[in-house]
């Protein structure tokens, strides 16, 4: 962890201090001598397309023996894996449909390619790395393929096979770790698996130009220089600063990885190789600059050309095979993420914290003086993948969250803002006590005995039929009821409330928490109900206790009379604005009085020829007395008009 801790600090510092990624310069601009980058393979065996790669089998469990299966959920869909190598056979049945156009040094102008050929030489010329040229190992003539400018070469086909093998480990349908990842060939090596510093620099610059800020991506560099390269280190730092994770093979020289590029480049995830018996591979580079080990010996994967069968497979050995196992796991981790400046640190922390500890038996037990031992960490993806298929159905003050459940995993769901949480070993649970109309970030994390998954996060807003109102209070007035109530502040905005008095159905509607009901009858007992309404419907009804409006009564609107010899019967229409009204009728002169709850009074013993004035007033059962009266003038008896009577008539 010592090297990685320092590396991540450097990455963060570089990101803060650099306004834009540092440009990567072509060969004419570099000051250091050209070095040759080579693939990290030391031996091969015959094709084998019949059984599961033991590497896949090993990384999904903690201990031997192997289970004979590889379990996964996430597939790396939506993540780009840049494969800095010899190209990819894009039409291989394991890879077809997921290889996109990349970059190739063959697209350079002919003058540049001639310069590179002069330095590298021909694959047909034996060298320490390529002692014997065999035309059958290459689908195309190597000199024509390597040294002819081909502007429309985007990284496919592959005339060496190494890049195709690496691509198959990362993302082959059957052979790969991340079976849905997008594969991007970046050809920096020729048909012998060799490339120059300037060729690699141009490939890394192309990645930096192609990558969009925030896009989840991983770079696999199963290549290595014999020494450190300052210019390559600088280029890798530019990629790290943009949030691109860089995975590098530790190298196959059985020496410290700290003195090489890219294995010793600060910020890369450097990978040593293990064998199927959990021994450190004898060829693997070692030391504190190796972050973890992964299966690298005798790994079956895709091959680059037809040799007695269609789309064959081949078994190769080396740290080149270990690194893509890690790159595939990184792609699975990044699925669904948007990268930021902290992604590289986050990935490294998560990856190393979930490795299997102390499973490796080391063969390099005596590192050079001052060099620490390789960390005893073996790649593992046995913690759950991030939950998939996460959705949230909105209810009133609640979110019903669901996901695709996997047996043996417990899921914990939390919301932000707030502290609402729920958990389940099934496929759903509900977050309650939320606020309607508030947008929540909902996080679902799966856990098992090995640890926690990365969170899957969605946003959702609870809403639904409103909650019922509470605590209704009524204030009685004359023919009015002032109603007030409380309602949860966590309910959705845009509510309306309707208060209704029963009997008679008088009501008021408002968006506030109070309103006044008019046109009720004084003296009559009312029950008031309040209902909240929004676009989803209405709440249940909340009722109050009985309230009785009261106030000064009105008087009848008119009065009529029936006149007889000595009495008068006076009648009037009922007062409807107050209940249980008593009518009081007085006369002038005479001070006759009639008090009744009926709608008439009869006054007897009146005097003929006298004009009487009758006043009708009212009072209620609670003693409220009207301040007004209605009057009418009446004269008892008969009115005799004077007339002329003729004699004899």
């Amino acid at each position: 962890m010592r090297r990685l801790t320092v590396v991540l600090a450097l990455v963060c510092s570089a990101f803060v201090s650099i306004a834009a990624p540092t440009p990567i310069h072509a060969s004419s601009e570099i000051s250091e001598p050209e070095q040759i980058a080579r693939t990290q393979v030391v031996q091969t065996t015959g094709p084998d397309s019949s059984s599961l790669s033991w590497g896949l089998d090993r990384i999904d469990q903690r201990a031997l023996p192997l289970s004979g299966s590889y379990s996964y959920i996430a597939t790396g869909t939506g993540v780009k894996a840049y494969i800095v190598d010899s190209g990819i056979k894009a039409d291989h049945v394991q890879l077809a449909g997921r290889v996109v156009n990349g970059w190739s040094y063959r697209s350079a102008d002919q003058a540049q390619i001639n310069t590179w050929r002069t330095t590298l030489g021909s694959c047909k010329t034996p060298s320490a790395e390529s002692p014997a040229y065999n035309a059958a190992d290459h689908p195309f003539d190597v000199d024509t393929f390597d040294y002819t400018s081909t502007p429309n070469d985007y990284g496919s086909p592959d005339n060496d096979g190494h890049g195709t093998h690496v691509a198959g480990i990362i993302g082959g349908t059957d052979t790969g770790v991340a079976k849905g990842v997008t594969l991007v060939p970046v050809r920096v090596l020729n048909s012998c698996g060799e490339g120059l510093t300037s060729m690699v620099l141009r490939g890394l610059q192309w990645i930096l130009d192609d990558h969009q800020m925030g896009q989840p991506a991983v770079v696999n560099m199963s290549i290595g220089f014999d020494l450190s390269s300052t210019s390559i280190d600088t280029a890798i730092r530019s990629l790290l600063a943009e949030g691109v994770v860089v995975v590098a093979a530790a190298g196959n020289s059985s020496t410290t990885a700290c003195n090489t590029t890219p294995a010793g480049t600060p910020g890369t995830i450097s990978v040593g190789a293990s064998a199927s018996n959990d021994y450190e591979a004898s060829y693997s580079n070692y030391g504190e600059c190796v972050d973890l080990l992964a299966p690298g010996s005798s790994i079956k994967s895709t091959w680059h050309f037809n040799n007695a069968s269609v789309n064959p497979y081949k078994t190769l050995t080396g740290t080149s095979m270990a690194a893509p196992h890690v790159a595939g796991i990184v792609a699975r981790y990044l699925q669904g993420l948007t990268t930021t400046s902290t992604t590289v640190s986050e990935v490294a922390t998560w990856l190393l914290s979930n490795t299997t500890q102390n499973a490796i038996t080391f063969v390099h037990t005596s590192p050079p003086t001052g060099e620490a031992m390789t960390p005893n960490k073996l790649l593992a993806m046995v913690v759950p993948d991030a939950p998939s298929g996460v959705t949230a159905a909105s209810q009133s003050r609640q979110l019903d969250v669901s996901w695709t459940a996997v047996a043996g995993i417990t899921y914990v769901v939390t919301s932000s803002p707030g502290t609402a949480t729920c958990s389940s070993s099934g496929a759903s649970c509900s977050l309650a006590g939320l606020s309607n109309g508030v947008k929540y970030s909902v996080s679902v994390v799966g856990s098992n005995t090995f640890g926690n998954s990365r969170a899957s996060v969605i946003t959702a807003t609870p809403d639904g039929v409103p909650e019922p109102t509470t605590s209704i209070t009524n204030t009685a007035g004359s023919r009015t009821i002032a109603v007030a109530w409380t309602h949860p502040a966590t309910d959705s905005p845009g509510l309306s409330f309707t208060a209704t008095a029963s009997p008679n159905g008088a009501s008021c509607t408002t968006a506030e928490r109070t309103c006044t009901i008019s046109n009720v009858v004084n003296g009559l007992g009312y029950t008031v109900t309040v209902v909240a309404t929004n676009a989803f419907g209405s709440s249940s009804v909340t009722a109050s206790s009985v309230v009785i409006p009261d106030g000064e009564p009105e008087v009848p609107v008119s009065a009529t009379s029936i006149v007889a010899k000595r009495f008068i019967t006076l009648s009037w229409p009922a007062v409807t604005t107050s209940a249980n009204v008593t009518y009081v009728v007085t006369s002038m002169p005479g001070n006759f009085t009639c008090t009744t709850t009926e709608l008439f009074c009869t006054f007897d013993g009146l005097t003929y020829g006298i004009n009487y004035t009758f006043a009708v007033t009212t009072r209620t059962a609670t003693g409220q007395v009207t301040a007004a009266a209605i009057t009418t003038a009446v004269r008892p008896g008969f009115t005799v008009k004077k007339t002329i009577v003729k004699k004899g008539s």
Side-chain angles (χ1 to χ4, degrees):
M1 288 297 293
R2 180 178 67 82
R3 182 191 72 87
L4 189 59
T5 302
V6 174
V7 164
L8 295 179
L10 290 172
V11 171
C12 293
S13 175
F15 186 81
V16 171
S17 62
I18 299 175
T22 304
I24 302 170
H25 302 288
S27 59
S28 60
E29 300 169 331
I30 63 174
S31 59
E32 63 182 283
E34 287 271 35
Q35 293 190 59
I36 298 177
R38 296 184 175 90
T39 60
Q40 300 298 314
V41 178
V42 295
Q43 64 184 37
T44 63
T45 62
D48 176 11
S49 58
S50 61
S51 61
L52 175 71
S53 166
W54 77 266
L56 293 182
D57 197 346
R58 185 66 186 91
I59 64 175
D60 71 341
Q61 62 186 72
R62 288 294 183 195
L64 295 176
L66 296 174
S67 65
S69 64
Y70 169 57
S71 300
Y72 63 93
I73 302 172
T75 61
T77 300
V79 180
K80 275 189 172 181
Y82 294 95
I83 300 169
V84 180
D85 218 290
S86 62
I88 300 175
K89 179 177 172 57
D91 60 352
H92 196 289
V93 67
Q94 291 284 334
L95 312 174
R98 290 182 292 108
V99 180
V100 299
N101 286 344
W103 179 86
S104 172
Y105 76 87
R106 297 176 69 228
S107 63
D109 60 71
Q110 191 62 53
Q112 177 64 77
I113 289 178
N114 291 341
T115 299
W116 284 332
R117 176 174 184 171
T118 300
T119 305
L120 278 175
S122 169
C123 285
K124 295 179 181 180
T125 304
S127 66
E129 291 294 327
S130 303
Y133 168 71
N134 183 356
D137 291 337
H138 309 280
F140 309 97
D141 178 78
V142 294
D143 285 342
T144 302
F145 186 86
D146 290 340
Y147 300 124
T148 300
S149 177
T150 311
N152 61 347
D153 186 335
Y154 301 109
S156 180
D158 181 2
N159 202 35
D160 174 66
H162 187 267
T164 300
H165 198 274
V166 167
I169 297 172
I170 294 176
T173 302
D174 298 315
T175 61
V177 176
K179 302 178 186 302
V181 71
T182 298
L183 301 165
V184 188
V186 182
R187 188 202 309 282
V188 299
L189 306 180
N190 65 9
S191 299
C192 297
E194 296 181 343
L196 296 171
T197 305
S198 54
M199 295 163 67
V200 177
L201 281 173
R202 287 202 178 184
L204 296 179
Q205 178 64 62
W206 181 88
I207 295 173
L208 190 64
D209 295 339
D210 179 74
H211 177 257
Q212 301 300 308
M213 186 68 77
Q215 180 185 60
V218 59
V219 171
N220 188 88
M221 299 184 72
S222 287
I223 64 174
F225 294 92
D226 293 335
L227 302 172
S228 296
S229 169
T230 301
S231 59
I232 299 295
D233 291 345
T234 300
I236 290 173
R237 280 197 298 271
S238 296
L239 291 170
L240 295 170
E242 194 165 310
V244 179
V245 180
V246 180
V247 179
N252 301 326
S253 302
S254 190
T255 187
T256 176
C258 290
N259 299 328
T260 65
T261 293
T265 303
T268 61
I269 299 173
S270 180
V271 187
S274 67
S276 59
N277 59 358
D278 281 357
Y279 273 67
E280 177 192 23
S282 60
Y283 53 82
S284 180
N285 284 356
Y286 53 82
E288 62 182 337
C289 291
V290 176
D291 296 308
L292 75 164
L293 288 89
S297 295
S298 300
I299 301 298
K300 180 197 72 175
S301 185
T302 48
W303 199 234
H304 69 306
F305 72 103
N306 300 337
N307 183 7
S309 63
V310 177
N311 294 319
Y313 304 88
K314 199 152 191 166
T315 300
L316 301 181
T317 290
T319 57
S320 276
M321 285 62 255
H325 282 88
V326 174
I329 293 296
V330 168
R332 281 177 53 179
Y333 178 83
L334 292 176
Q335 182 174 335
L337 280 181
T338 299
T339 59
T340 65
S341 60
T342 60
T343 296
V344 173
S345 174
E346 176 190 343
V347 172
T349 299
W350 176 88
L351 185 73
L352 297 180
S353 65
N354 285 293
T355 53
T356 299
Q357 308 287 315
N358 302 316
I360 295 297
T361 299
F362 284 116
V363 298
H364 299 111
T365 56
S366 300
T369 302
E371 178 81 16
M373 282 282 291
T374 305
N376 199 328
K377 297 179 178 182
L378 179 63
L379 176 67
M381 186 61 170
V382 293
V383 297
D385 284 315
S388 61
V390 178
T391 60
S394 294
Q395 305 291 341
S396 182
R397 302 184 67 197
Q398 178 174 303
L399 292 173
D400 296 333
V401 186
S402 60
W403 54 88
T404 302
V406 177
I409 296 176
T410 299
Y411 299 89
V412 177
V413 183
T414 56
S415 64
S416 178
T419 58
T421 184
C422 64
S423 62
S424 173
S425 58
S428 65
C429 67
S430 297
L431 294 169
L434 305 178
S435 298
N436 284 345
V438 174
K439 188 175 185 179
Y440 286 90
S441 175
V442 178
S443 169
V444 183
V445 174
S447 63
N448 59 15
T449 55
F450 300 113
N452 297 330
S453 75
R454 176 174 60 81
S456 289
V457 181
I458 62 170
T459 57
T461 303
D463 218 337
V465 175
E467 294 291 303
T469 58
T470 57
S471 304
I472 299 177
T473 58
N474 298 315
T475 302
S478 179
R479 300 192 64 203
T480 63
I481 303 173
V483 188
W485 57 89
T486 59
H487 193 83
T490 54
D491 216 340
S492 57
L495 292 174
S496 66
F497 301 90
T498 299
T500 304
S502 180
N504 99 349
S507 65
C508 58
T509 299
T510 180
E512 305 299 326
R513 302 298 190 269
T514 182
C515 68
T516 299
I517 301 174
S518 302
N519 299 319
V520 292
V521 177
N522 286 341
L524 188 63
Y526 287 92
T527 298
V528 177
T529 59
V530 179
V531 173
T533 303
N534 64 10
F536 296 91
S538 298
S539 70
S540 59
V541 175
T542 303
S544 71
S545 57
V546 175
V547 60
I548 304 174
D550 200 11
E552 182 181 305
E554 294 182 354
V555 295
V557 296
S558 63
T560 60
S561 61
I562 298 175
V563 180
K565 184 176 181 180
R566 288 184 176 273
F567 66 89
I568 295 173
T569 297
L570 198 66
S571 61
W572 53 86
V575 172
T576 59
T577 55
S578 294
N580 302 316
V581 174
T582 298
Y583 301 92
V584 180
V585 186
T586 58
S587 70
M588 289 295 293
N591 292 322
F592 292 101
T593 300
C594 172
T595 301
T596 183
T597 58
E598 304 294 333
L599 299 178
F600 64 91
C601 276
T602 298
F603 292 89
D604 198 0
L606 301 178
T607 304
Y608 291 126
I610 300 297
N611 287 325
Y612 289 90
T613 299
F614 294 93
V616 183
T617 61
T618 54
R619 67 169 182 256
T620 65
T622 60
Q624 294 278 350
V625 179
T626 183
I630 182 173
T631 61
T632 184
V634 182
R635 179 178 179 177
F638 302 97
T639 299
V640 179
K641 293 184 178 181
K642 184 178 181 180
T643 184
I644 297 174
V645 179
K646 293 182 180 181
K647 184 177 179 181
S649 62

